[in-house]
Amino acid sequence: MSKTVRRIRPYGSGDIPAVQSWLEEMAGKGLFFKESGMLFAKFEKGEPRKMRYRLDFCDVVACDIPDEKKELYEQCGWQVVGDYNSDLVVVCTDDPDAPEIYTDPELLVKPLKNIMYKYMACTLAFAVIFFIAFEHFGGTMLTFITARYTLAYYVFACLVLLLLAVEMLFNAVCCCRLVLMTKRLKKGKNIPTGERYGFRRAVGKVLIPLTVPVIIAWVVFMLSPADLIEDRHINDPSTLPFPTCEDFGWSYNSELMFAYESRDIFGSKSYTLGQHGDVFFRTDYYEGFSAIAKRASEERIEQLKIYDEQGYNSVMQGRAEAESQGYEVPEEIPTRIIYEYDIDGAHVFYLCSDHRIVGFHRQYIIVRYENKYIEVSCESTDMYLGNLIPQYIDLLKSAK
């Protein structure tokens, strides 16, 4: 039977009081520290006994410390037993009266800062890859409730982002502990001993071994193409939950029609319909979350206002330049109709402009009611869509 066992390393190099307490507890169970790597610590089995463990710093790797320093430890009753993650020297004694190895606490400040900088670098690294993954996933908080990814991809992405955030927070907390410890040492106080850190140990046992797998998962996530829920094409427009060209008595070319339905994993649904014929007619419909409906409609309204303003100003500037150069311009001035109002709980926006071609109207209707909104756009020569607004309001109110 092997005389050595391995245990997950539950504490980082900067958590000196917790590491010392853990090693003393393990000795009380008959497991005596030998060495520690990035993930595991190795112990030698023996008879349980009470031991005192302390961590010291060394400027060389793998505990290859100068002989004079080893002799100094031994003269004080301490024995060098190994290194902790190549950052710290582990010494122990079974003599309860052996003097503490820290004679001047302030001498520990500089090496502690070196470890603190490592945690700061890890925190920054996890922050960077977290935001890279966040941008890859969508880049906004709305992505989490409007995602049209498959369930498996969505769960995997959320899990990767969650673990990255937790690892980032874990390293930040470790860094903060070191900041507080250095302040304590600067005041001449010793590193605390004899305290128990059960919760911190439980967290470390999970997060420290997860560091490498989380990074691997991030790489897999970044290299994996987004697995989107495919849109469902609709061949029969009469099945859509809003009026179509047929309902208004307008003819259209069925070969040029496109219609599809989209859903996300939370049940939100949207429809898009485009028909070409007597008019170019397009309808976009959304039903899901009120916040999404509100934001999407407001952003679209703002886009249309800016687009229309720029188009109108461009046309009027062109007319003015043509007149100044003696060219003949049409007498009829391009018109704009735009209004926005709230009525019976619904928000309504209407825009009609013909500044591209005089007499050729481009019209937009946007109506939002609770968790639904509809946008209708139409290009025609003589049809006024503003009269259809009450019908769209009733449509959204009656939708289940």
Side-chain angles (χ1 to χ4, degrees), residues 228-371:
L228 298 173
I229 299 175
E230 294 185 1
D231 297 329
R232 183 178 70 88
H233 292 275
I234 298 175
N235 297 320
D236 182 6
S238 64
T239 61
L240 294 168
F242 48 78
T244 66
C245 282
E246 289 180 335
D247 298 309
F248 295 124
W250 302 334
S251 62
Y252 67 93
N253 186 340
S254 59
E255 294 182 357
L256 299 178
M257 184 195 80
F258 60 88
Y260 53 86
E261 174 190 15
S262 303
R263 291 179 180 266
D264 61 33
I265 61 175
F266 296 106
S268 299
K269 53 189 176 182
S270 58
Y271 300 90
T272 298
L273 169 68
Q275 294 175 304
H276 299 257
D278 293 343
V279 297
F280 173 70
F281 187 71
R282 176 178 173 128
T283 303
D284 293 279
Y285 177 92
Y286 170 83
E287 181 177 346
F289 294 92
S290 299
I292 305 301
K294 184 175 186 297
R295 178 168 177 173
S297 61
E298 288 177 348
E299 289 182 351
R300 180 59 176 156
I301 289 171
E302 188 63 25
Q303 289 174 355
L304 290 175
K305 287 179 178 178
I306 293 173
Y307 172 77
D308 179 68
E309 183 73 21
Q310 292 175 343
Y312 181 78
N313 291 339
S314 177
V315 170
M316 297 305 293
Q317 183 179 352
R319 287 173 60 92
E321 292 177 354
E323 287 180 342
S324 66
Q325 296 175 10
Y327 292 103
E328 184 176 349
V329 297
E331 294 183 1
E332 187 175 355
I333 298 176
T335 58
R336 297 168 67 204
I337 302 174
I338 183 170
Y339 50 80
E340 187 174 1
Y341 59 89
D342 294 307
I343 180 172
D344 296 333
H347 186 79
V348 177
F349 172 81
Y350 174 78
L351 170 65
C352 177
S353 63
D354 62 356
H355 44 71
R356 286 196 311 167
I357 302 175
V358 175
F360 187 90
H361 302 295
R362 170 180 283 184
Q363 301 178 73
Y364 298 91
I365 292 175
I366 295 179
V367 179
R368 184 187 77 248
Y369 179 75
E370 294 181 348
N371 65 331

Side-chain angles (χ1 to χ4, degrees), residues 192-205:
T193 59
E195 300 180 19
R196 299 178 65 85
Y197 304 88
F199 175 76
R200 198 181 300 179
R201 182 186 309 175
V203 173
K205 279 186 176 180

Side-chain angles (χ1 to χ4, degrees), residues 46-62:
E47 290 296 325
R49 67 180 187 270
K50 189 173 182 179
M51 299 287 291
R52 294 167 61 198
Y53 282 88
R54 296 294 181 264
L55 304 182
D56 201 358
F57 298 92
C58 189
D59 296 330
V60 291
V61 182

